[in-house]
Amino acid sequence: MTFPFRKHIAEIAPYSTARDEFKGGDISVWLDANESPYNNGVNRYPDPHQKALKQVLSQLKGVATDRIFVGNGSDEAIDLCFRLFCEPGEDNVVAIAPSYGMYGVAAAVNHVELREVQLREDFSLPVEELLAVCDAHTRLLWVCSPNNPSSNAFPQEDLLRLARDFQGMLVVDEAYVDFSEKGTMLAHLDDFPRLIVLQTLSKAWGMAGLRLGLAFAHPVVSAAFAKIKYPYNVNAPTQAEVIRRLSSEPVAEHVAEIKAERRRLEEELPGIACVKKVYPSDANFLLVEVTDANAIYDALVAAGIIVRNRSRIVGCRGCLRLTVGTPAENKRLLDVLRTLS
Ligand SMILES: *Cc1c(COP(=O)(O)O)cnc(C)c1O
């Protein structure tokens, strides 16, 4: 199996940390890394390989540790994909639109052409068009599912078709997968070596403040991520807190409540005068077309509620994106919306 890495990647020797060079033994005096010797809980460098954390994630996700990359949010993995696979000014990537803004930002920062393909009117995936805009220089195909901001997940058969027929790396961003009934692509990693699946602890897992994103990939690809990342890309408190919280956060309960509240909003919003359309959602937010997005956005802000105004985005005209909150927060949102026309 060959991967479309940039040519110089193979020649890079990664930074060797003090703890990489140390090969075991019963050490109690650490004078190898120029750290402070005074124990305040964070005076030592964190594990650059995040071994303990990856063990826990491996158990949780049913994916071998050598297929896991962890980084400073999904955003780090997104940037590393460009740096691994795309020659600036030469290669291109394809993404759906509307979708997550970071693909475009990372493309621009890395000086890589982004070819956007509009989703269909009903936000379904234009599989043939996506494949048709790819050429010999297309290294990455970005599909966010469930998609932000359209909120729908795409059928697995569409994603599998892209995995089969696209010659570069298919990146499926599953940030919202915990809220969807349509399943994950993780089970297909074995069948498709050029598949990368992104997940995050920022949404359903309630740890946006800790910054932990995951990429699941072929072991050769995750080794390449590890080779070019910052050595200490996930700090020690984050590694420890994530390990602790993965076994203690009531995530299943929270996800169940968010889905019940999403259903309640889906039922109640269409009866409100200023609401024109509520798109079906597989995520923890709703894309809602309203009578006057800017005016309603301002009115909500004046009432102390902030939502995301997506009305200027092609394909989302007149739409606000509403994150599902607690029952009390959602009630406040509905109460304020009912006063608007
Ligand atoms: C929120 C979100 C993420 C998460 O990014 P982090 O850097 O992990 O917080 C990733 N992808 C999409 C599509 C998102 O909406």
Side-chain angles (χ1 to χ4, degrees):
M1 187 68 213
T2 58
F3 298 93
F5 293 122
R6 291 165 71 190
K7 286 184 189 60
H8 72 288
I9 296 289
E11 271 100 69
I12 297 171
Y15 177 72
S16 182
T17 69
R19 302 289 140 81
D20 280 324
E21 288 176 5
F22 158 68
K23 291 283 183 258
D26 190 12
I27 304 295
S28 54
V29 179
W30 298 91
L31 305 178
D32 60 340
N34 301 344
E35 299 153 335
S36 167
Y38 306 108
N39 182 9
N40 62 2
V42 291
N43 59 313
R44 298 294 174 192
Y45 278 105
D47 174 10
H49 309 295
Q50 303 106 8
K51 284 203 188 78
L53 175 56
K54 283 180 186 170
Q55 285 290 346
V56 179
L57 289 166
S58 171
Q59 289 285 317
L60 186 74
K61 296 289 176 182
V63 176
T65 52
D66 68 352
R67 287 180 172 276
I68 302 176
F69 163 82
V70 294
N72 187 333
S74 306
D75 293 346
E76 181 178 0
I78 292 168
D79 182 57
L80 290 181
C81 284
F82 282 92
R83 291 167 57 193
L84 272 182
F85 296 107
C86 303
E87 208 55 62
E90 203 174 291
D91 292 328
N92 66 73
V93 306
V94 171
I96 57 172
S99 195
Y100 187 44
M102 273 309 291
Y103 316 139
V105 171
V109 167
N110 287 285
H111 188 38
V112 170
E113 180 197 349
L114 171 74
R115 298 181 178 178
E116 290 187 312
V117 177
Q118 274 312 118
L119 295 175
R120 298 201 192 96
E121 187 85 8
D122 61 357
F123 293 140
S124 61
L125 200 62
V127 175
E128 302 306 326
E129 285 169 56
L130 282 165
L131 291 169
V133 299
C134 294
D135 63 20
H137 278 285
T138 307
R139 297 288 179 250
L140 306 170
L141 173 50
W142 294 91
V143 181
C144 182
S145 179
N147 186 39
N148 177 6
S150 62
S151 79
N152 57 318
F154 303 111
Q156 290 241 342
E157 64 204 63
D158 287 359
L159 300 174
L160 291 172
R161 167 82 204 284
L162 293 175
R164 254 193 310 273
D165 291 352
F166 175 55
Q167 295 306 303
M169 305 297 295
L170 172 64
V171 191
V172 180
D173 185 341
E174 297 189 337
Y176 300 97
V177 73
D178 304 274
F179 304 103
S180 170
E181 313 291 324
K182 303 213 172 92
T184 166
M185 290 289 281
L186 284 182
H188 301 291
L189 282 174
D190 277 334
D191 303 329
F192 300 103
R194 287 190 304 262
L195 172 65
I196 297 173
V197 177
L198 303 185
Q199 292 189 1
T200 178
L201 300 187
S202 295
K203 306 286 156 63
W205 288 86
M207 302 183 215
L210 289 176
R211 310 304 305 130
L212 200 95
L214 305 116
F216 302 94
H218 188 280
V220 168
V221 174
S222 46
F225 274 112
K227 183 167 156 175
I228 70 163
K229 75 181 181 69
Y230 289 164
Y232 304 110
N233 60 327
V234 180
N235 67 60
T238 292
Q239 292 190 42
E241 269 297 285
V242 167
I243 290 170
R244 191 176 72 73
R245 285 169 186 267
L246 281 175
S247 60
S248 65
E249 292 274 343
V251 174
E253 259 170 66
H254 287 166
V255 167
E257 179 163 281
I258 296 285
K259 284 162 91 175
E261 283 295 297
R262 178 179 80 197
R263 229 166 298 131
R264 181 164 80 97
L265 289 168
E266 278 170 344
E267 280 163 19
E268 297 201 19
L269 283 166
I272 294 175
C274 66
V275 172
K276 289 171 77 176
K277 178 168 184 169
V278 180
Y279 287 91
S281 173
D282 298 298
N284 66 336
F285 58 88
L286 292 169
L287 188 70
V288 177
E289 189 184 348
V290 291
T291 46
D292 184 341
N294 294 333
I296 289 165
Y297 176 86
D298 290 343
L300 286 171
V301 169
I305 299 172
I306 183 141
V307 300
R308 199 84 198 264
N309 188 349
R310 302 278 77 180
S311 61
R312 280 176 297 274
I313 289 181
V314 179
C316 297
R317 276 207 176 84
C319 288
L320 301 176
R321 193 191 71 190
L322 315 177
T323 306
V324 179
T326 63
E329 289 172 332
N330 303 329
K331 180 176 183 308
R332 255 187 78 190
L333 172 71
L334 290 169
D335 288 346
V336 175
L337 286 174
R338 284 197 182 94
T339 68
L340 307 172
S341 51

